[in-house]
Amino acid sequence: MNRKSFLNLTARVGLFLGLTPTLLAGNSRENLQEVEAVNTLLGSNKALGNMVNFADKPIEKVRVGMIGMGNRGSVLIQMFEYLIKHKHAEIVALSDLKEDKVTKNNDYLKTMQPEGADLYFGDEDAWKKMAKRDDIDILIIATPWNFHTEMCVYGMEHNKHVACEQPIALTLQDCWKLIEVAERTKKHCMYMENCCFNSEELWILNMINEGVFGDINHAEGAYIHDLRKHMLDANYYEDQWRIKHHETNNGNFYTGHGLGPVSSYMDIGRGDNYDHLVSMSSREQSLSEAAKKENYKTRKFACGDMNTSLIKTKKGKTIMLQFDTHTGRPYSRLNTVTGTKAVHEGYPSRLYVGHAELQWGHSWLKDEEYKDYRERYDHPLWKKLRTQIDANAVGHGGMDFVMIYRMMRCLNQGLPLDINLYDSVMWSAITPLSEMSVANNSASTKIPDFTGGTWETPRENEVLRDIM
């Protein structure tokens, strides 16, 4: 780009900031190059990388404030019983727009913590009053997506660590904003990807760490989950906020369930990094048919029934990432990983070991062989917490409990969190990048280095550490 073009582009950056890639798109390669140039401009010299391995001082008892007490918040609060009982954490305050939601959850909290929590509700800025308190160490955010970045930023600016449901950002501008604020305030900003703590995913990661898979070259992840009933139910998602994203945007809106574990398998941010992606969506049909049956006001949706994104890493590995919440296909996260010595496919979980031996008639391990690998390489964290995990199985089979447990115990001991700022931003950034590619005829789209170059230094995945 020459000087004249650069100055012209700089003058127009304000027109791009905060807009979704779909609105920017003109289905032309020229437009995509301009968007990528803006992306480069926004990201120049912004990531310092100083939050890699960041650990704050130990917090003997973590004081928690929770924002959003709807479907997700109501589950997360249940994960604290063990931590409250052992004085590792306490819930200081709850916030939601609706009084009945905070009251209901506070009544439940009192069964674990008799004094309950202070409640904030009714006012759209009530959560800000809570965030300003000086007796809260971390904010846990479980609100509709469009509030996530604002709440994370506000929390960090008011001296709080933040942990947020996915995605933590919807635009590239917000991705860079989170990096700038977290690096400046020295506060944790964690994407709460529970699937990174599931037993199957941690079992695979442990096997990879022990050399069972050899070198990893390809992996597949997904969020395939029929949500039509929930999205069209006026009582499930407050003000039906979730379906509105499908009305205007087209891409992969929910990356973390598939991408989080796969990125751990491939050492993303810990010796490798994403380089570029291509993304395409099928036509939309299933959601509009369901909307017509339910007499929903919108009958045409921008988001295709299936989005497929392909990611190439700096070291030449490939990732297939899929997103489908429109069709009746049975639930799957795919969870496929291919190495030079072994292969795993999920849903149902199947393992093959030994293809390096160049034999014919490859087949999945039989039940007894599979069971042997499951027991031999079960992640130490699940072995240690199995009793508590079983007691908290309501949290997606226990992975919610493991996620919250690890977060609190790392804060107790002053250790880096398992999912750091850069993981959080990278996984979220795939959404707007996928939208850019889809809107521009699936053009190859460069993925920025959000880590400040720190990805080049190999290190062990944090979740492999053993902590009390």
Side-chain angles (χ1 to χ4, degrees), residues 248-267:
T248 56
N249 292 44
N250 190 8
N252 189 319
F253 304 161
Y254 213 69
T255 61
H257 279 4
L259 192 59
V262 162
S263 296
S264 294
Y265 304 156
M266 290 187 163
D267 295 324

Side-chain angles (χ1 to χ4, degrees), residues 449-468:
D449 175 14
F450 293 104
T451 75
T454 56
W455 67 268
E456 297 183 69
T457 303
R459 69 181 194 280
E460 185 179 57
N461 192 290
E462 289 81 357
V463 79
L464 292 168
R465 298 169 308 183
D466 185 22
I467 64 173
M468 298 300 291

Side-chain angles (χ1 to χ4, degrees), residues 199-229:
S199 60
E200 180 179 300
E201 283 82 347
L202 285 179
W203 166 60
I204 293 170
L205 181 62
N206 199 35
M207 282 195 292
I208 291 171
N209 188 57
E210 295 294 329
V212 173
F213 278 80
D215 292 328
I216 306 301
N217 285 313
H218 176 73
E220 299 173 9
Y223 185 61
I224 296 171
H225 189 185
D226 184 2
L227 292 180
R228 289 172 296 175
K229 179 178 175 60

